[in-house]
Amino acid sequence: MQDQFILFGSQHLISIASIFFISVIFPLIIRGLNVKSVTKSVLLILGITLIAHELIKPFYRVIYYDHSIYEVFPIHICHLAALSMGVYILTKVKFFFEVAYFFGLTGNFFAMVTPDLDYLYPDPEFITYYFGHGLLFLTVFYVCICTNVKLTWWSVFRVFLFAVCLLPAIYSLNIYLVEYFSEVNYWYLMITPTANTLLDFFPTPPWHIPYLAILTVILFAAIYLPFKYLNSYKQKSF
């Protein structure tokens, strides 16, 4: 019998720490090699793996984890971030990196900190959950450290605007799908998650949406500032 997942238990903390450690050390090693062909090859592998995993994930969630087909569409913040990063790597269209960066270091990060999991390792759902979220985290750091991509305050604004424009569509989809599956909760717009999250401090859905918007602005600005200083450092070293 699998052990129940314990929020901030030893396995949970080790998983987060390991992902963060690998996400920093691995890109630094590749950058230290200073071989362009290696840097590009690793980046391509990461991008293809991100896209492939997001396309495969709905199938294994339905077949092996008994999730409803209505709750596995790849439209959560983490899914959009992973797909955007993969598309950015293949196309080099900067907006996709911006979406991946801000969604990946906010929604994806909080998903790792407060996951909606029932069991600990070696439960397959625990493994695949942290593989997917960790891979995105690693790829964001890899692009930041090993490439010369840049962000600006305009990046903060347009990703926030993108999220605001998407929100009515996601909410409408929730309203439509809830007729078929009562637990549909894309972007957590319908139900407060059972896991302890920041949403516990907000009003019940959908009245939490204005507070989410304010929190999003604060988080986007907060995670942009480290990149701003990283940009200054890379300009000196590239």
Side-chain angles (χ1 to χ4, degrees):
M1 184 175 178
Q2 298 286 351
D3 292 329
Q4 291 288 325
F5 178 83
I6 302 173
L7 188 67
F8 302 130
S10 58
Q11 273 201 26
H12 184 203
L13 293 177
I14 290 171
S15 298
I16 295 173
S18 299
I19 288 170
F20 185 81
F21 178 79
I22 294 170
S23 297
V24 174
I25 296 301
F26 179 72
L28 287 175
I29 291 173
I30 298 298
R31 177 171 173 169
L33 294 176
N34 197 26
V35 179
K36 289 186 178 181
S37 60
V38 173
T39 301
K40 290 181 179 179
S41 297
V42 172
L43 185 61
L44 184 61
I45 291 170
L46 291 172
I48 292 173
T49 306
L50 278 171
I51 294 175
H53 181 248
E54 289 303 321
L55 295 179
I56 295 170
K57 181 161 56 175
F59 295 96
Y60 72 64
R61 287 182 60 187
V62 171
I63 295 171
Y64 297 109
Y65 303 158
D66 200 29
H67 292 172
S68 168
I69 193 171
Y70 298 109
E71 64 176 334
V72 300
F73 299 155
I75 55 175
H76 267 302
I77 293 292
C78 304
H79 305 150
L80 294 177
L83 290 171
S84 293
M85 180 58 82
V87 172
Y88 166 74
I89 290 170
L90 297 178
T91 67
K92 296 300 183 290
V93 176
K94 183 182 173 184
F95 176 70
F96 290 111
F97 171 72
E98 293 172 343
V99 172
Y101 180 86
F102 290 106
F103 282 11
L105 295 187
T106 55
N108 182 65
F109 173 76
F110 285 113
M112 293 192 295
V113 173
T114 55
D116 186 14
L117 293 171
D118 294 322
Y119 301 107
L120 292 169
Y121 178 87
D123 181 66
E125 192 167 356
F126 180 97
I127 295 171
T128 54
Y129 185 91
Y130 275 103
F131 169 79
H133 289 80
L135 180 64
L136 172 58
F137 206 68
L138 165 63
T139 309
V140 170
F141 273 67
Y142 186 91
V143 173
C144 291
I145 293 172
C146 295
T147 75
N148 203 23
V149 66
K150 293 180 174 60
L151 295 174
T152 65
W153 283 111
W154 169 242
S155 304
V156 177
F157 174 76
R158 67 176 180 171
V159 175
F160 175 74
L161 185 62
F162 173 69
V164 169
C165 290
L166 269 184
L167 193 146
I170 300 297
Y171 188 73
S172 299
L173 181 64
N174 279 322
I175 294 295
Y176 174 75
L177 292 178
V178 78
E179 298 293 328
Y180 302 93
F181 182 67
S182 61
E183 296 180 18
V184 165
N185 197 24
Y186 292 110
W187 287 31
Y188 302 109
L189 297 177
M190 307 297 289
I191 308 167
T192 301
T194 53
N196 295 320
T197 68
L198 289 174
L199 297 182
D200 293 338
F201 299 99
F202 295 162
T204 55
W207 309 112
H208 69 318
I209 292 176
Y211 297 88
L212 274 179
I214 295 171
L215 177 63
T216 300
V217 171
I218 294 171
L219 290 176
F220 280 11
I223 63 172
Y224 166 66
L225 291 176
F227 191 95
K228 183 179 179 181
Y229 291 107
L230 179 63
N231 270 345
S232 301
Y233 169 75
K234 288 196 297 184
Q235 286 174 1
K236 299 176 182 177
S237 58
F238 264 96

